[in-house]
Amino acid sequence: MPDADLHPMPSTPSDETPVASPLACLTVLLPSATEDRLVDWLLARDGAPIEFSVHAVAARGPLVRLAPGDEQVRGHAQRVEVKLIAPRPVIDGLTRDIARLMAGTPGGYWVMPVEHFAAFDAAPAAPGARA
């Protein structure tokens, strides 16, 4: 898909209904030790219309198994959360590919619709430009 697919949605005045976004957000939760595998794989997908960020998080829930010791005492695990924004069809393909790439790794993912996507600066990045 062309890079333009990720350019910001046009802004709407507050009294108008926002334009629905065709984008989705894929959030992947992983142990910190596996972060490089996913990030390197994403960076190798040059030209794909994907925005992503990586965050250290304290996690607890059905996708997190607490290790004996410190994690159980703290009640949460140190994990990495990778958030990807892309057109929904791209996200659907990424979920399949990432499930294969990360098979056997503790963690998981979820997908949510993106209601609005916009940049703070007025000019979108030039096609092919890297941030």
Side-chain angles (χ1 to χ4, degrees):
M1 297 191 117
D3 219 16
D5 290 341
L6 263 184
H7 285 261
M9 300 287 296
S11 296
T12 57
S14 60
D15 59 341
E16 291 182 23
T17 304
V19 177
S21 170
L23 303 174
C25 177
L26 167 61
T27 302
V28 182
L29 189 65
L30 299 166
S32 301
T34 63
E35 170 188 349
D36 288 343
R37 183 181 346 160
L38 179 58
V39 170
D40 290 347
W41 181 82
L42 288 167
L43 292 172
R45 299 177 59 85
D46 195 32
I50 303 168
E51 295 272 340
F52 75 91
S53 59
V54 180
H55 313 269
V57 297
R60 181 174 179 94
L63 297 179
V64 179
R65 285 185 236 125
L66 298 179
D70 289 346
E71 288 185 353
Q72 288 183 348
V73 170
R74 282 192 311 263
H76 64 268
Q78 296 301 312
R79 294 291 185 263
V80 171
E81 188 176 80
V82 181
K83 291 189 175 203
L84 302 99
I85 304 288
R88 184 58 185 237
V90 173
I91 291 291
D92 292 341
L94 285 171
T95 58
R96 289 187 298 274
D97 294 344
I98 291 172
R100 284 192 291 272
L101 176 71
M102 304 309 290
T105 302
Y109 69 91
W110 58 91
V111 177
M112 296 172 41
V114 172
E115 187 173 315
H116 191 76
F117 183 80
F120 293 118
D121 61 350
R130 294 251 169 215

